[in-house]
Structures are given as C-alpha cells and as structure tokens.
C-alpha cells in the first residue's frame, strides 16, 4: 500500500487539535523516509559472475530477477558478456532480505553494497 507524505506531516490531529511538539518532531523524522509521496526502501548493488552462462540463459536470469515477487525488487540490471559479470540494483528493506532473495534466486554475490548516497542534479543526496 502506498503511503502519502501528507499522512505523516499534518500539523493537526484528526480532531483538529494541535499535535504535541514531540509528535511533530517524530513526523518530521518520518519525512526523511518519504520521497515523492512514497516510503523509500534502501537500495543495494550486487555484482555476480556469469561467465558460464549463454546469452539466452543470462536474458532468462535477468527477466526472472526483474519479475520476481516479494519484498526485494530488482530495479535495473547491467551485464557484460565479455567480462562475464552481472550488476544489479535492488530495492530491499534489509540486508537479510537481500541474502534470502539471493539464495532463492540461486545467486552468489561477489560483492553486495548498500547505497547510502546518490547524485541528483549534480549534488550528492541520500539514496
């Protein structure tokens, strides 16, 4: 279910009374996790060796990753058939969820990094 930012940032409660300062502070802290009106999920980059896969097998693997259901979502995949590498960008609630997803998909990562910062409009911002 999508959650709108306005659900967390209203300065008054349902009865119209002003919210206590502590509760307003909590709501502002919640705003850090809201981007474009939807609660954001941490991103991860995974690097995998695919040297033994044919192009068709690689295409099937990427299609499987992109269409997999569950709490982990593969947002983008990059592959090099000459280097035998697959790099994927995932959205996952935790590293444990990523590890479970990788086991289910039969992936053994060479590297797995959580992304904290990304560039937006030439500036570094929280991912």
């Amino acid at each position: 279910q999508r959650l709108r930012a306005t659900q967390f940032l209203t300065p008054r409660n349902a009865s119209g009374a002003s919210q206590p300062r502590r509760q307003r502070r909590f709501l502002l802290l919640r705003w850090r996790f809201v981007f474009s009106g939807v609660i954001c999920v941490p991103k991860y980059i995974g690097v995998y060796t695919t040297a033994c896969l044919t192009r068709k097998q690689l295409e099937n693997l990427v299609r499987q990753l992109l269409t997999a259901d569950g709490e982990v979502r593969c947002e983008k995949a990059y592959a090099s058939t000459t280097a035998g590498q697959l790099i994927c960008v995932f959205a996952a609630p935790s590293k444990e969820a990523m590890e479970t997803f990788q086991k289910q998909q039969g992936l053994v990562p060479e590297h797995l990094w959580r992304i904290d910062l990304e560039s937006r409009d030439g500036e570094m911002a929280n991912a």
Side-chain angles (χ1 to χ4, degrees), residues 35-94:
F35 180 74
S36 300
V38 180
I39 293 182
C40 291
V41 178
K43 291 185 181 181
Y44 294 85
I45 290 182
V47 179
Y48 310 94
T49 299
T50 58
C52 59
L53 299 180
T54 65
R55 182 182 174 104
K56 188 67 173 171
Q57 290 172 325
L58 186 58
E59 288 174 0
N60 289 337
L61 174 61
V62 170
R63 188 177 307 109
Q64 177 183 332
L65 292 174
L66 292 171
T67 59
D69 290 332
E71 60 184 355
V72 177
R73 192 178 77 250
C74 180
E75 295 182 345
K76 195 94 170 159
Y78 303 92
S80 171
T81 54
T82 55
Q85 295 288 312
L86 174 65
I87 300 172
C88 297
V89 179
F90 296 97
S94 67

Side-chain angles (χ1 to χ4, degrees), residues 2-10 27 30-31 34-39:
R2 299 185 120 194
L3 301 174
R4 301 259 175 241
T6 55
Q7 290 175 298
F8 298 107
L9 296 177
T10 53
L27 294 176
R30 286 288 298 229
W31 175 249
V34 178
F35 180 74
S36 300
V38 180
I39 293 182

Side-chain angles (χ1 to χ4, degrees), residues 71-119:
E71 60 184 355
V72 177
R73 192 178 77 250
C74 180
E75 295 182 345
K76 195 94 170 159
Y78 303 92
S80 171
T81 54
T82 55
Q85 295 288 312
L86 174 65
I87 300 172
C88 297
V89 179
F90 296 97
S94 67
K95 189 170 184 175
E96 292 78 20
M98 267 302 306
E99 290 169 353
T100 302
F101 177 80
Q102 291 175 128
K103 285 180 185 175
Q104 290 172 347
Q105 300 299 323
L107 297 172
V108 179
E110 282 187 37
H111 303 284
L112 180 64
W113 301 295
R114 180 180 168 151
I115 305 305
D116 297 321
L117 299 171
E118 66 183 1
S119 62

